Amino acid sequence: MKSCLALVFCVAAVFSGSARQEAGLDKTGETFEGGIGSLMPAYQKRRALLTGEALPPHDVDFAVLKSQPLPPQQNPRPEGLSRTQKKRHALLGELHGHSELALLHGLLIAHLRKHTYPDGAPALFLRLWKEEEDWLLETLPTRWLISAVITFAEHGQSEADRTLAARMGMFFSLMKIYEAERCFSGLPPQKAFKVKDRNTSPLPMGMKDFSVLQGDLEAHLLAPLWRDAGQAPAIGNLVRHLLERLNTDDGTVFRRLALMRNAAEKSRKGKV
């Protein structure tokens, strides 16, 4: 738990903008009126049981499912579908061009992210990743690999897997929040801010400022995840695969910081 909290504040320090703007909220000064506990109903609502058709048996033949391409999504969506059928319909659109095995993986995650799920769902999910890891890493979109690692936080068999998965889930959730907010800057994710435009207002919650040009916070944030993946038997390869994709993605805050450093270094050399 301590490592998860440390991750929250590390990511917050990297992702926080320098300026603190008045939000015009209620007199309590709370972002969430009623406190963080008031968010529980919204959290619980999305975790209601998916009712409907049963999952395949535990010994389902994965090779057969890999060979079966998904049918086209029927639109508009038919009436009278169960919650599971509605989820399958949505996945048919999202996973167009993939196979029934990719869809089964998506359905398993959808079930396992709920408070209640079919009895055999955890074991089938774990078997799928144990037997088909290479295929899953090569085939699935990154979005589904992220969902998979988050699912291990509750259903991993080892403490090392569950703890690392929880940290990865926190990391990607905060990253998603930050990148979504940044969209309102009007800049594409590949466009770095200019160093000269930095606002010098203090960071929130009294956090110490982060040196964009010389700081090592990224190393303290990412290197332990890479290190601990070596001790996570079920998700180690998945975690390192995701971190490698993070490193090659040109639209992350880490790439933008690297661009800012390069620009500052070129400017410095030009003045020498």
Side-chain angles (χ1 to χ4, degrees):
M1 182 58 69
K2 289 182 179 179
S3 61
C4 288
L5 290 175
L7 183 59
V8 170
F9 290 113
C10 282
V11 176
V14 173
F15 291 168
S16 292
S18 296
R20 298 182 65 185
Q21 300 178 354
E22 292 296 329
L25 301 178
D26 61 40
K27 295 180 180 179
T28 66
E30 294 182 325
T31 299
F32 303 104
E33 185 176 359
I36 301 299
S38 67
L39 300 176
M40 287 302 298
Y43 170 71
Q44 300 283 7
K45 184 178 180 180
R46 293 197 62 183
R47 291 171 67 88
L49 173 69
L50 284 179
T51 55
E53 290 63 33
L55 290 168
H58 181 74
D59 61 353
V60 61
D61 190 334
F62 293 148
V64 172
L65 295 181
K66 278 193 289 187
S67 69
Q68 296 177 347
L70 291 175
Q73 184 188 52
Q74 183 181 350
N75 286 307
R77 188 180 73 187
E79 297 291 333
L81 299 182
S82 67
R83 293 194 67 206
T84 299
Q85 288 173 328
K86 289 178 181 177
K87 187 63 180 179
R88 176 180 170 84
H89 180 270
L91 291 175
L92 285 174
E94 184 172 346
L95 293 171
H96 175 73
H98 286 271
S99 69
E100 287 287 350
L101 188 59
L103 190 138
L104 173 61
H105 179 263
L107 277 178
L108 284 168
I109 288 176
H111 279 292
L112 293 173
R113 299 289 283 276
K114 309 300 182 184
H115 287 304
T116 307
Y117 41 80
D119 290 339
L124 186 55
F125 175 78
L126 294 173
R127 180 194 156 216
L128 178 54
W129 269 98
K130 181 178 181 180
E131 297 181 13
E132 299 291 343
E133 179 185 70
D134 290 343
W135 183 87
L136 292 167
L137 293 178
E138 180 180 348
T139 305
L140 292 181
T142 305
R143 169 260 195 275
W144 283 103
L145 296 178
I146 293 173
S147 293
V149 79
I150 293 173
T151 304
F152 274 98
E154 293 188 17
H155 300 285
Q157 290 185 303
S158 73
E159 181 65 25
D161 285 319
R162 292 191 298 272
T163 300
L164 181 57
R167 291 160 61 195
M168 293 294 289
M170 187 78 72
F171 171 76
F172 283 119
S173 294
L174 286 169
M175 184 174 173
K176 185 175 182 178
I177 288 175
Y178 169 77
E179 294 294 347
E181 188 213 23
R182 191 184 188 276
C183 291
F184 292 93
S185 71
L187 297 175
Q190 293 77 16
K191 180 69 173 179
F193 292 124
K194 296 181 179 179
V195 176
K196 67 180 181 64
D197 292 337
R198 179 170 187 164
N199 186 296
T200 57
S201 299
L203 295 178
M205 299 181 70
M207 286 188 289
K208 186 178 179 181
D209 201 0
F210 167 57
S211 175
V212 171
L213 301 183
Q214 298 179 344
D216 59 358
L217 185 55
E218 296 133 299
H220 287 275
L221 175 63
L222 298 173
L225 297 174
W226 182 273
R227 176 199 63 202
D228 294 345
Q231 305 300 320
I235 67 167
N237 291 337
L238 171 57
V239 168
R240 287 188 172 178
H241 183 84
L242 285 169
L243 292 174
E244 287 170 348
R245 287 199 179 183
L246 180 80
N247 190 40
T248 57
D249 194 300
D250 66 355
T252 70
V253 66
F254 305 107
R255 179 64 65 90
R256 293 191 295 270
L257 290 175
L259 292 174
M260 292 170 68
R261 291 185 183 115
N262 288 342
E265 180 64 17
K266 289 180 180 179
S267 177
R268 185 189 67 81
K269 289 181 177 179
K271 294 178 180 179
V272 175

